[in-house]
mmCIF file of all heavy atoms in Angstrom:
data_model
loop_
_atom_site.group_PDB
_atom_site.id
_atom_site.type_symbol
_atom_site.label_atom_id
_atom_site.label_comp_id
_atom_site.label_asym_id
_atom_site.label_seq_id
_atom_site.Cartn_x
_atom_site.Cartn_y
_atom_site.Cartn_z
ATOM 1 N N ILE A 87 20.273 -6.555 43.270
ATOM 2 C CA ILE A 87 20.109 -7.531 42.165
ATOM 3 C C ILE A 87 20.218 -8.953 42.707
ATOM 4 O O ILE A 87 19.354 -9.811 42.454
ATOM 5 C CB ILE A 87 21.166 -7.283 41.070
ATOM 6 C CG1 ILE A 87 20.838 -5.993 40.299
ATOM 7 C CG2 ILE A 87 21.248 -8.470 40.097
ATOM 8 C CD1 ILE A 87 21.932 -5.549 39.333
ATOM 9 N N VAL A 88 21.281 -9.218 43.455
ATOM 10 C CA VAL A 88 21.538 -10.588 43.944
ATOM 11 C C VAL A 88 20.425 -11.027 44.903
ATOM 12 O O VAL A 88 19.985 -12.173 44.891
ATOM 13 C CB VAL A 88 22.922 -10.668 44.624
ATOM 14 C CG1 VAL A 88 23.171 -12.077 45.153
ATOM 15 C CG2 VAL A 88 24.024 -10.289 43.639
ATOM 16 N N ARG A 89 19.948 -10.078 45.709
ATOM 17 C CA ARG A 89 18.888 -10.399 46.668
ATOM 18 C C ARG A 89 17.611 -10.850 45.973
ATOM 19 O O ARG A 89 16.882 -11.707 46.480
ATOM 20 C CB ARG A 89 18.612 -9.153 47.519
ATOM 21 C CG ARG A 89 17.784 -9.391 48.765
ATOM 22 C CD ARG A 89 17.703 -8.137 49.611
ATOM 23 N NE ARG A 89 17.091 -7.013 48.910
ATOM 24 C CZ ARG A 89 15.781 -6.848 48.760
ATOM 25 N NH1 ARG A 89 14.942 -7.746 49.236
ATOM 26 N NH2 ARG A 89 15.292 -5.788 48.132
ATOM 27 N N LYS A 90 17.355 -10.292 44.795
ATOM 28 C CA LYS A 90 16.110 -10.601 44.079
ATOM 29 C C LYS A 90 16.228 -11.807 43.154
ATOM 30 O O LYS A 90 15.238 -12.222 42.552
ATOM 31 C CB LYS A 90 15.660 -9.363 43.289
ATOM 32 C CG LYS A 90 15.225 -8.222 44.210
ATOM 33 C CD LYS A 90 15.002 -6.926 43.466
ATOM 34 C CE LYS A 90 14.647 -5.804 44.438
ATOM 35 N NZ LYS A 90 14.530 -4.500 43.786
ATOM 36 N N LEU A 91 17.438 -12.357 43.037
ATOM 37 C CA LEU A 91 17.595 -13.559 42.198
ATOM 38 C C LEU A 91 17.037 -14.769 42.947
ATOM 39 O O LEU A 91 17.001 -14.786 44.177
ATOM 40 C CB LEU A 91 19.078 -13.787 41.881
ATOM 41 C CG LEU A 91 19.731 -12.767 40.940
ATOM 42 C CD1 LEU A 91 21.224 -13.038 40.819
ATOM 43 C CD2 LEU A 91 19.087 -12.780 39.563
ATOM 44 N N PRO A 92 16.591 -15.803 42.213
ATOM 45 C CA PRO A 92 16.004 -16.976 42.888
ATOM 46 C C PRO A 92 17.036 -17.750 43.705
ATOM 47 O O PRO A 92 18.224 -17.768 43.369
ATOM 48 C CB PRO A 92 15.457 -17.825 41.730
ATOM 49 C CG PRO A 92 16.148 -17.325 40.506
ATOM 50 C CD PRO A 92 16.507 -15.900 40.745
ATOM 51 N N ASP A 93 16.562 -18.399 44.777
ATOM 52 C CA ASP A 93 17.428 -19.240 45.620
ATOM 53 C C ASP A 93 18.101 -20.314 44.782
ATOM 54 O O ASP A 93 17.484 -20.884 43.884
ATOM 55 C CB ASP A 93 16.591 -19.941 46.703
ATOM 56 C CG ASP A 93 16.424 -19.064 47.921
ATOM 57 O OD1 ASP A 93 17.132 -18.045 47.992
ATOM 58 O OD2 ASP A 93 15.589 -19.383 48.779
ATOM 59 N N GLY A 94 19.353 -20.601 45.110
ATOM 60 C CA GLY A 94 20.045 -21.705 44.439
ATOM 61 C C GLY A 94 20.568 -21.373 43.064
ATOM 62 O O GLY A 94 21.143 -22.239 42.386
ATOM 63 N N ALA A 95 20.368 -20.134 42.608
ATOM 64 C CA ALA A 95 20.825 -19.777 41.251
ATOM 65 C C ALA A 95 22.352 -19.745 41.191
ATOM 66 O O ALA A 95 23.029 -19.433 42.167
ATOM 67 C CB ALA A 95 20.265 -18.407 40.874
ATOM 68 N N LEU A 96 22.887 -20.071 40.029
ATOM 69 C CA LEU A 96 24.322 -19.921 39.783
ATOM 70 C C LEU A 96 24.475 -18.589 39.050
ATOM 71 O O LEU A 96 23.860 -18.370 38.009
ATOM 72 C CB LEU A 96 24.853 -21.079 38.928
ATOM 73 C CG LEU A 96 26.385 -21.093 38.754
ATOM 74 C CD1 LEU A 96 27.080 -21.400 40.077
ATOM 75 C CD2 LEU A 96 26.808 -22.109 37.703
ATOM 76 N N VAL A 97 25.267 -17.697 39.620
ATOM 77 C CA VAL A 97 25.391 -16.345 39.064
ATOM 78 C C VAL A 97 26.731 -16.207 38.350
ATOM 79 O O VAL A 97 27.771 -16.574 38.894
ATOM 80 C CB VAL A 97 25.287 -15.282 40.185
ATOM 81 C CG1 VAL A 97 25.226 -13.876 39.596
ATOM 82 C CG2 VAL A 97 24.068 -15.546 41.063
ATOM 83 N N SER A 98 26.666 -15.691 37.139
ATOM 84 C CA SER A 98 27.894 -15.499 36.357
ATOM 85 C C SER A 98 28.173 -14.001 36.231
ATOM 86 O O SER A 98 27.290 -13.229 35.855
ATOM 87 C CB SER A 98 27.706 -16.129 34.974
ATOM 88 O OG SER A 98 28.813 -15.823 34.168
ATOM 89 N N LEU A 99 29.378 -13.575 36.580
ATOM 90 C CA LEU A 99 29.767 -12.166 36.477
ATOM 91 C C LEU A 99 30.922 -12.026 35.490
ATOM 92 O O LEU A 99 31.940 -12.708 35.624
ATOM 93 C CB LEU A 99 30.187 -11.604 37.843
ATOM 94 C CG LEU A 99 29.042 -11.369 38.852
ATOM 95 C CD1 LEU A 99 28.758 -12.630 39.634
ATOM 96 C CD2 LEU A 99 29.376 -10.233 39.813
ATOM 97 N N THR A 100 30.720 -11.159 34.518
ATOM 98 C CA THR A 100 31.742 -10.951 33.487
ATOM 99 C C THR A 100 32.018 -9.464 33.345
ATOM 100 O O THR A 100 31.080 -8.665 33.205
ATOM 101 C CB THR A 100 31.250 -11.497 32.125
ATOM 102 O OG1 THR A 100 30.749 -12.822 32.308
ATOM 103 C CG2 THR A 100 32.367 -11.502 31.092
ATOM 104 N N GLU A 101 33.305 -9.118 33.398
ATOM 105 C CA GLU A 101 33.658 -7.707 33.226
ATOM 106 C C GLU A 101 34.379 -7.534 31.907
ATOM 107 O O GLU A 101 35.326 -8.261 31.585
ATOM 108 C CB GLU A 101 34.560 -7.240 34.374
ATOM 109 C CG GLU A 101 34.779 -5.740 34.382
ATOM 110 C CD GLU A 101 36.232 -5.343 34.147
ATOM 111 O OE1 GLU A 101 37.114 -6.216 34.183
ATOM 112 O OE2 GLU A 101 36.471 -4.151 33.907
ATOM 113 N N ASP A 102 33.888 -6.573 31.131
ATOM 114 C CA ASP A 102 34.510 -6.277 29.837
ATOM 115 C C ASP A 102 35.248 -4.953 29.982
ATOM 116 O O ASP A 102 34.622 -3.893 30.104
ATOM 117 C CB ASP A 102 33.408 -6.192 28.758
ATOM 118 C CG ASP A 102 33.987 -5.834 27.397
ATOM 119 O OD1 ASP A 102 35.230 -5.832 27.288
ATOM 120 O OD2 ASP A 102 33.205 -5.551 26.482
ATOM 121 N N GLY A 103 36.569 -5.029 30.027
ATOM 122 C CA GLY A 103 37.389 -3.839 30.250
ATOM 123 C C GLY A 103 37.143 -2.742 29.232
ATOM 124 O O GLY A 103 37.151 -1.552 29.568
ATOM 125 N N ALA A 104 36.880 -3.124 27.992
ATOM 126 C CA ALA A 104 36.726 -2.124 26.922
ATOM 127 C C ALA A 104 35.474 -1.275 27.118
ATOM 128 O O ALA A 104 35.500 -0.051 26.945
ATOM 129 C CB ALA A 104 36.673 -2.830 25.569
ATOM 130 N N SER A 105 34.367 -1.916 27.503
ATOM 131 C CA SER A 105 33.106 -1.171 27.619
ATOM 132 C C SER A 105 32.893 -0.574 29.011
ATOM 133 O O SER A 105 32.005 0.253 29.209
ATOM 134 C CB SER A 105 31.919 -2.091 27.290
ATOM 135 O OG SER A 105 31.827 -3.111 28.271
ATOM 136 N N GLY A 106 33.704 -1.018 29.994
ATOM 137 C CA GLY A 106 33.542 -0.513 31.352
ATOM 138 C C GLY A 106 32.236 -0.951 31.980
ATOM 139 O O GLY A 106 31.620 -0.212 32.742
ATOM 140 N N ARG A 107 31.782 -2.167 31.624
ATOM 141 C CA ARG A 107 30.526 -2.684 32.198
ATOM 142 C C ARG A 107 30.765 -4.042 32.857
ATOM 143 O O ARG A 107 31.641 -4.801 32.452
ATOM 144 C CB ARG A 107 29.457 -2.888 31.108
ATOM 145 C CG ARG A 107 29.155 -1.682 30.239
ATOM 146 C CD ARG A 107 28.575 -0.538 31.000
ATOM 147 N NE ARG A 107 27.136 -0.412 30.913
ATOM 148 C CZ ARG A 107 26.489 0.638 31.428
ATOM 149 N NH1 ARG A 107 27.143 1.586 32.060
ATOM 150 N NH2 ARG A 107 25.188 0.731 31.329
ATOM 151 N N LEU A 108 29.950 -4.322 33.883
ATOM 152 C CA LEU A 108 29.961 -5.642 34.506
ATOM 153 C C LEU A 108 28.621 -6.300 34.190
ATOM 154 O O LEU A 108 27.564 -5.742 34.481
ATOM 155 C CB LEU A 108 30.135 -5.530 36.027
ATOM 156 C CG LEU A 108 30.093 -6.859 36.796
ATOM 157 C CD1 LEU A 108 31.363 -7.662 36.549
ATOM 158 C CD2 LEU A 108 29.918 -6.622 38.298
ATOM 159 N N THR A 109 28.674 -7.473 33.566
ATOM 160 C CA THR A 109 27.451 -8.196 33.211
ATOM 161 C C THR A 109 27.180 -9.270 34.264
ATOM 162 O O THR A 109 28.081 -10.031 34.633
ATOM 163 C CB THR A 109 27.591 -8.857 31.828
ATOM 164 O OG1 THR A 109 27.972 -7.846 30.888
ATOM 165 C CG2 THR A 109 26.289 -9.487 31.373
ATOM 166 N N ILE A 110 25.947 -9.306 34.727
ATOM 167 C CA ILE A 110 25.542 -10.300 35.732
ATOM 168 C C ILE A 110 24.445 -11.155 35.102
ATOM 169 O O ILE A 110 23.410 -10.634 34.670
ATOM 170 C CB ILE A 110 25.010 -9.603 37.006
ATOM 171 C CG1 ILE A 110 26.089 -8.683 37.582
ATOM 172 C CG2 ILE A 110 24.564 -10.615 38.049
ATOM 173 C CD1 ILE A 110 25.550 -7.488 38.300
ATOM 174 N N GLU A 111 24.675 -12.457 35.047
ATOM 175 C CA GLU A 111 23.689 -13.367 34.433
ATOM 176 C C GLU A 111 23.317 -14.467 35.414
ATOM 177 O O GLU A 111 24.184 -15.027 36.091
ATOM 178 C CB GLU A 111 24.277 -14.004 33.168
ATOM 179 C CG GLU A 111 24.532 -13.001 32.045
ATOM 180 C CD GLU A 111 25.319 -13.643 30.906
ATOM 181 O OE1 GLU A 111 26.521 -13.888 31.087
ATOM 182 O OE2 GLU A 111 24.698 -13.906 29.867
ATOM 183 N N ALA A 112 22.026 -14.757 35.473
ATOM 184 C CA ALA A 112 21.531 -15.868 36.288
ATOM 185 C C ALA A 112 20.252 -16.364 35.634
ATOM 186 O O ALA A 112 19.276 -15.620 35.544
ATOM 187 C CB ALA A 112 21.269 -15.407 37.715
ATOM 188 N N GLY A 113 20.273 -17.602 35.169
ATOM 189 C CA GLY A 113 19.104 -18.127 34.459
ATOM 190 C C GLY A 113 18.795 -17.236 33.263
ATOM 191 O O GLY A 113 19.647 -16.971 32.428
ATOM 192 N N ARG A 114 17.559 -16.713 33.222
ATOM 193 C CA ARG A 114 17.169 -15.851 32.095
ATOM 194 C C ARG A 114 17.339 -14.365 32.408
ATOM 195 O O ARG A 114 16.982 -13.521 31.586
ATOM 196 C CB ARG A 114 15.707 -16.126 31.741
ATOM 197 C CG ARG A 114 15.488 -17.550 31.241
ATOM 198 C CD ARG A 114 14.038 -17.781 30.890
ATOM 199 N NE ARG A 114 13.797 -19.134 30.445
ATOM 200 C CZ ARG A 114 12.624 -19.594 30.070
ATOM 201 N NH1 ARG A 114 11.570 -18.790 30.097
ATOM 202 N NH2 ARG A 114 12.458 -20.839 29.681
ATOM 203 N N SER A 115 17.858 -14.073 33.592
ATOM 204 C CA SER A 115 18.065 -12.661 33.965
ATOM 205 C C SER A 115 19.439 -12.188 33.497
ATOM 206 O O SER A 115 20.414 -12.932 33.548
ATOM 207 C CB SER A 115 17.985 -12.489 35.487
ATOM 208 O OG SER A 115 16.762 -12.985 35.970
#
């Protein structure tokens, strides 16, 4: 995922303990 994101992007990672998921956001992805 990170390799395919555009250069210079700011990546936000959020983990929600209740759902057991890690959300990765960068721009519109």
Side-chain angles (χ1 to χ4, degrees):
I87 288 171
V88 179
R89 194 174 60 80
K90 292 170 183 175
L91 291 175
D93 274 348
L96 187 68
V97 188
S98 173
L99 288 87
T100 311
E101 189 244 349
D102 178 9
S105 65
R107 306 296 261 187
L108 177 72
T109 306
I110 302 150
E111 294 171 287
R114 296 181 181 181
S115 304

